[in-house]
Amino acid sequence: MLAAQILAPGRAHVIETEQPTPGPDDVLIEVAAAGICGTDIHIFRGEYMAVYPLIPGHEFSGTVIGCGENVTRFKVGDRVTADPNIPCNRCPACQRNEPNQCENLAAIGVTRSGAFAHYVIAPEGNVFPIGNLSFEAAALVEPLACVVWGLKRVQVQPGDSALVFGVGPMGCLMVQSLRSVGASNIVVTDTVPWRLEQAMQLGASEAVLADEHQERRLKAIAPKGYDIVVDVTGIPKVLEQSFQYARARGKVWVFGVCPVDAPATFIPYDVFRKDLSIIGSFAVNRTFQESIAMINSGLIRVEPLISHRLPLADFVQGLEMAEHDPKRMKVQFSLA
Ligand SMILES: [Zn+2]
Ligand SMILES: [Zn+2]
């Protein structure tokens, strides 16, 4: 089968390799669509907890073409997606019902072979039927499931105002998701005007270009601050400046993935004086069912977020596009 492989940080190629064989509890999936995530770019650069050499790809959908002998819920021909995170189910974190904090967390496309390949294996318990969703839409269930997990952590209250830094595909999912759980005024800011337009079309209330007037404009919109300030950029400098926009008792949500070990500073006195909450949310935490339902019902629109569709042979070019193309949103590989 064809597969994209990262040999070591900075070195990737597309290879012909052996088709994987499912174990007794596994489902073998023929990949139809697989999206590039910021995490894949971090993995390519060696800025994430990956194991090399690696076939990445953790946002995907496809068709079941084989099942291990113990698999009972799926059969050949089923259209599916899969939660990439595989907790061990026996460590103290798993025993506390916090599987995303599993001490032995494995992940498809991070610590084991992923979906930038014609075939991928997932344990049955990680596989979800996608009903009538298109394969392209279903490959966006995973990123939405990350937002949904964060929403559960942050506990958005009816009528909350929100400030979203960064409206790439994740930020656009964030805007729609905040709206769906009752946020009122949702202000977005980004360096790319085209992305701001997209976010407005998907439900943002106001857009502010991240230029030299950004601070003044964001403060004019909400002089006392925003109930929720969320960084989706993963840029430490952006996170640092986001604190000042939270209202007293507000919440600063650390969502974007900053490079491992990159520091960011904040003013502890402000956190103390304003009763601020700093909330992190990591990956997915059994939030796939909700995400599939949100897309299926039309509550969240994902198709407008797909900007590029490429063959897998263009893997390295795809990574480049996902990072630098000025008109990029979600870049997906089409394998079907
Ligand atoms: Zn991802
Ligand atoms: Zn565990």
Side-chain angles (χ1 to χ4, degrees):
M1 67 167 185
L2 205 63
Q5 191 184 48
I6 298 177
L7 293 160
R11 286 174 55 213
H13 61 182
V14 177
I15 49 166
E16 193 61 44
T17 182
E18 202 102 319
Q19 177 179 330
T21 312
D25 301 309
D26 291 335
V27 174
L28 177 63
I29 299 164
E30 182 176 30
V31 179
I36 299 179
C37 166
T39 303
D40 297 315
I41 295 166
H42 284 302
I43 291 171
F44 180 59
R45 291 218 201 97
E47 297 171 344
Y48 200 67
M49 50 186 189
V51 178
Y52 306 91
L54 175 73
I55 299 173
H58 59 271
E59 308 176 353
F60 64 95
S61 61
T63 306
V64 174
I65 58 157
C67 293
E69 63 203 52
N70 298 335
V71 172
T72 58
R73 294 173 49 247
F74 295 96
K75 60 179 190 318
V76 170
D78 285 349
R79 302 169 73 255
V80 297
T81 184
D83 182 340
N85 296 303
I86 306 168
C88 74
N89 291 324
R90 52 180 72 89
C91 74
C94 286
Q95 288 175 321
R96 275 197 309 270
N97 199 23
E98 296 170 359
N100 71 327
Q101 295 299 334
C102 171
E103 292 168 18
N104 311 301
L105 191 63
I108 296 168
V110 182
T111 65
R112 53 185 266 172
S113 291
F116 294 154
H118 272 128
Y119 306 100
V120 65
I121 280 175
E124 179 183 19
N126 286 61
V127 181
F128 293 78
I130 58 171
N132 294 325
L133 290 188
S134 71
F135 285 126
E136 291 181 344
L140 278 145
V141 169
E142 194 273 348
L144 179 61
C146 296
V147 177
V148 171
W149 169 237
L151 290 174
K152 292 187 184 204
R153 297 262 307 139
V154 171
Q155 300 196 4
V156 181
Q157 300 300 308
D160 271 355
S161 62
L163 171 57
V164 179
F165 283 87
V167 276
M170 266 298 191
C172 286
L173 290 175
M174 178 68 73
V175 167
Q176 297 182 73
S177 303
L178 284 165
R179 179 72 73 209
S180 75
V181 294
S184 56
N185 202 35
I186 302 170
V187 179
V188 294
T189 181
D190 198 293
T191 53
V192 184
W194 175 76
R195 288 184 163 202
L196 293 173
E197 280 163 35
Q198 289 273 113
M200 289 298 288
Q201 275 167 24
L202 292 167
S205 316
E206 270 186 87
V208 172
L209 189 65
D211 60 11
E212 69 273 23
H213 305 296
Q214 182 195 39
E215 182 177 340
R216 183 180 50 78
R217 292 191 56 203
L218 291 178
K219 286 182 174 169
I221 292 168
K224 295 194 185 302
Y226 300 81
D227 297 304
I228 295 161
V229 177
V230 52
D231 175 56
V232 190
T233 69
I235 300 169
K237 284 281 168 229
V238 175
L239 177 64
E240 280 178 351
Q241 54 149 319
S242 72
F243 279 74
Q244 63 180 309
Y245 300 105
R247 73 160 169 88
R249 295 277 165 93
K251 297 165 181 171
V252 177
W253 177 5
V254 182
F255 182 83
V257 186
C258 290
V260 175
D261 293 339
T265 57
F266 66 97
I267 300 169
Y269 181 82
D270 287 348
V271 175
F272 159 74
R273 181 64 185 84
K274 291 167 77 181
D275 284 342
L276 295 185
S277 301
I278 303 171
I279 301 167
S281 66
F282 172 64
V284 169
N285 195 34
R286 302 208 160 133
T287 41
F288 257 60
Q289 277 188 15
E290 296 92 318
S291 301
I292 291 170
M294 287 164 87
I295 299 173
N296 225 345
S297 65
L299 197 59
I300 305 289
R301 291 169 58 212
V302 295
E303 257 132 14
L305 302 181
I306 304 164
S307 61
H308 296 74
R309 296 164 176 86
L310 301 171
L312 187 61
D314 295 343
F315 175 65
V316 177
Q317 192 191 339
L319 284 182
E320 179 72 17
M321 243 172 209
E323 201 176 4
H324 298 298
D325 191 308
K327 288 261 164 163
R328 73 196 181 276
M329 274 279 166
K330 182 57 78 178
V331 180
Q332 281 188 351
F333 295 111
S334 308
L335 291 114

